[in-house]
Amino acid sequence: MSSPRPTDRPPAPPTVLEPEIADLRADLGDADYTVDGLARALGSVASAALHREQPLPALRVTARPGAGSAALLCRLFPLGQAVPVPDLDAALPRTGARGLLRLGLVERDDEGAGEADGGTAGHDLVRATCDLRPYGTEQDMWWVVSDRSEIATGGPLSTEHVLGVGGASSTLAGWTPRPRVERALDLGTGCGVQVLHLAGHTTYRTASDLSERALAFARVTLAMNGVEADLRAGSLLEPVSGEQFDLIVSNPPFVITPRRDDVPRYEYRDGGRAGDALVADLVADLAAQLRPGGIAQLLANWELVEGEDWSGHVHGWLRGTGLDAWVVQREVQDVAEYAETWARDGGHRAGTPGFDALYAAWLDDFAARGVDRVGFGVVTLQRPGSGREPWRHLEHVPTPVAGPMGPVVLAGLRARTWLAEHPDDELLDTPWQVAADVTEERVGRPGADDPQVIQLRQGGGLRRTVRLDTLAAGLVGACDGELTARQLCSGLAVLTEQPSAQVVSAVLPVLRELVADGLLH
């Protein structure tokens, strides 16, 4: 098999020099090189195209005279173009091209003439050695430093590539519950994105990665944002053996990759194990690293043979761990879709001989193990605070959800834990109230006295739809936080002329479901 060789080893990671980092941080802020500022500089069309990894509109916008400092920095870093030194000096007056050279964020462009003194005199152009771009949430704004994307390199990525903010890291950040805790671990930190999110609700942060290159980028990312963490080198949980944490987050190298020498092994996605064994083993090992009540949030792939139930497969990972688990399968791809996704991911183009060879390698690998599809999902684990039996909830939710999901995950953990630790009598003796985002829908034939369908719709979170019978609908309709569920059941028994115990027996499973899923508080 002959596949395109990934690009040569990329430039060395940048260096942390505190005075220059502080100057650069101030310059980037003054240049409005922020998420909102960059969106304004590019405009909606170019911004959307760049998000789709189509750089041409952004290249055109940033080439216009007077486009501004944020546009120039976008041209230099995300777009990977050489820029004139005088323009860069004007955009970053404290740092200038000299400061970026000292930090290792840029290098002289080949078109410039060499000079031994390390300055920029006589050099008209510089080019970025890495990607530096704004990233944030509604509450926070950061800068993230990583290797250049394929937009900037113009070819397949190096196998040592350190990924910036991608779809998986954004998904993990959005789904992570964020209670205020003392100790947190980012397992497989990459360029340090998850540590930025952890900084707002944790006291001590540890981040680990097998890649020294990734740790170098994480060090710069954290320095750029004034965030502290203990960075450690090593595989998976090895660097924190014997330690425990209140929260562990991980975007592990979960991609199922053929174990063949002629298939590139990208460090950011390939953990060196066959199939889904890496994540299965990680799940098995996490219990020892969690404090009682501690939470682990991670992403995972699982491979499935023909006819295999995905929930049964993942249940096998959980057996013997003693951990509570909430697993949401978000997507299922057949083996061809999966192969196409990850053959393209490293920068290989569909239809080329190298792409086709990689595609075939994935298909052969899956066929050898009888795999016909691959699931992707979000795994939330919790170590029980007592010796009770763990609860497990696995569900398939392929539809859009309302982000961020982190608060929903935390509320779901708390609700399911409460249900696991309290008997049905306490559930019935609690007054419940319908959540503010829940609406009721009744559907029936025109002119009919009663609806044929009664269902609840959840506006936020997983946007669940729950179908109710008349008894359950009556219970929910009266849940205003005043009367207990048991009192409401007694009232329904009178109205329907049924024994109270029979009403309780009928509505109890629905009540548990609605409490667990956050439709009742």
Side-chain angles (χ1 to χ4, degrees), residues 89-106:
D89 289 341
L92 304 174
R94 300 174 184 83
T95 310
R98 288 179 180 271
L100 294 182
L101 283 165
R102 285 193 292 272
L103 288 167
L105 291 166
V106 301

Side-chain angles (χ1 to χ4, degrees), residues 212-304:
E212 292 281 2
R213 182 177 182 82
L215 291 173
F217 274 108
R219 197 168 289 112
V220 178
T221 293
L222 299 185
M224 283 292 304
N225 297 284
V227 173
E228 294 184 357
D230 179 5
L231 301 181
R232 304 186 193 179
S235 177
L236 297 176
L237 292 165
E238 289 176 2
V240 293
S241 177
E243 298 179 55
Q244 291 188 326
F245 300 88
D246 303 292
L247 177 64
I248 298 174
V249 299
S250 183
N251 178 16
F254 58 74
V255 177
I256 298 167
T257 306
R259 311 273 25 111
R260 292 171 49 163
D261 292 339
D262 50 4
V263 175
R265 299 181 184 180
Y266 293 94
E267 291 181 350
Y268 69 87
R269 74 184 200 194
D270 179 12
R273 303 288 300 278
D276 56 22
L278 182 140
V279 180
D281 289 346
L282 176 59
V283 169
D285 293 339
L286 278 170
Q289 311 294 150
L290 289 170
R291 287 176 169 176
I295 300 167
Q297 186 75 55
L298 59 147
L299 305 182
N301 274 171
W302 37 84
E303 58 179 23
L304 304 167

Side-chain angles (χ1 to χ4, degrees), residues 76-77 88 97 100-101 103-108 126-129:
L76 173 65
F77 289 111
L88 191 56
L100 294 182
L101 283 165
L103 288 167
L105 291 166
V106 301
E107 61 188 0
R108 301 183 189 88
V126 292
R127 188 180 297 271
T129 62

Side-chain angles (χ1 to χ4, degrees), residues 53-101:
E53 299 186 352
Q54 296 296 330
L56 184 58
L59 286 168
R60 291 162 62 93
V61 168
T62 58
R64 294 171 185 165
S69 297
L72 177 78
L73 295 169
C74 177
R75 191 170 182 83
L76 173 65
F77 289 111
L79 295 174
Q81 301 296 301
V83 302
V85 165
D87 292 352
L88 191 56
D89 289 341
L92 304 174
R94 300 174 184 83
T95 310
R98 288 179 180 271
L100 294 182
L101 283 165

Side-chain angles (χ1 to χ4, degrees), residues 267-477:
E267 291 181 350
Y268 69 87
R269 74 184 200 194
D270 179 12
R273 303 288 300 278
D276 56 22
L278 182 140
V279 180
D281 289 346
L282 176 59
V283 169
D285 293 339
L286 278 170
Q289 311 294 150
L290 289 170
R291 287 176 169 176
I295 300 167
Q297 186 75 55
L298 59 147
L299 305 182
N301 274 171
W302 37 84
E303 58 179 23
L304 304 167
V305 300
E306 184 176 358
E308 185 180 16
D309 174 61
W310 79 270
S311 61
H313 186 94
V314 177
H315 263 298
W317 296 358
L318 301 167
R319 194 173 297 118
T321 64
L323 295 174
D324 298 327
W326 184 7
V327 184
V328 180
Q329 180 172 261
R330 295 289 290 141
E331 184 179 2
V332 180
Q333 291 185 323
D334 64 43
V335 290
E337 290 177 291
Y338 193 84
E340 292 160 17
T341 297
W342 295 109
R344 283 195 305 265
D345 178 69
H348 304 289
R349 293 288 177 256
T352 64
F355 175 89
D356 291 345
L358 290 173
Y359 195 167
W362 255 284
L363 295 180
D364 290 343
D365 182 59
F366 286 132
R369 295 194 305 282
V371 175
D372 73 345
R373 64 202 191 285
V374 178
F376 167 82
V378 186
V379 179
T380 307
L381 306 171
Q382 178 180 252
R383 180 178 171 186
S386 62
R388 63 168 171 80
E389 286 295 310
W391 55 262
R392 305 279 162 76
H393 185 75
L394 284 72
E395 58 183 320
H396 179 57
V397 185
T399 51
V401 300
M405 279 295 299
V408 177
V409 173
L410 184 59
L413 283 174
R414 299 293 187 249
R416 288 179 170 85
T417 299
W418 188 92
L419 290 168
E421 295 177 349
H422 294 80
D424 287 344
D425 281 343
E426 291 191 46
L427 176 65
L428 291 167
D429 289 333
T430 298
W432 300 100
Q433 186 169 13
V434 179
D437 66 336
V438 173
T439 56
E440 183 183 83
E441 182 179 88
R442 292 176 178 247
V443 181
R445 295 286 299 168
D449 291 333
D450 298 312
Q452 291 178 302
V453 176
I454 306 172
Q455 57 190 18
L456 301 180
R457 290 192 181 275
Q458 188 179 44
L462 293 175
R463 294 175 171 165
R464 302 178 188 278
T465 299
V466 181
R467 190 164 178 169
L468 305 177
D469 62 17
T470 54
L471 276 177
L475 175 74
V476 173

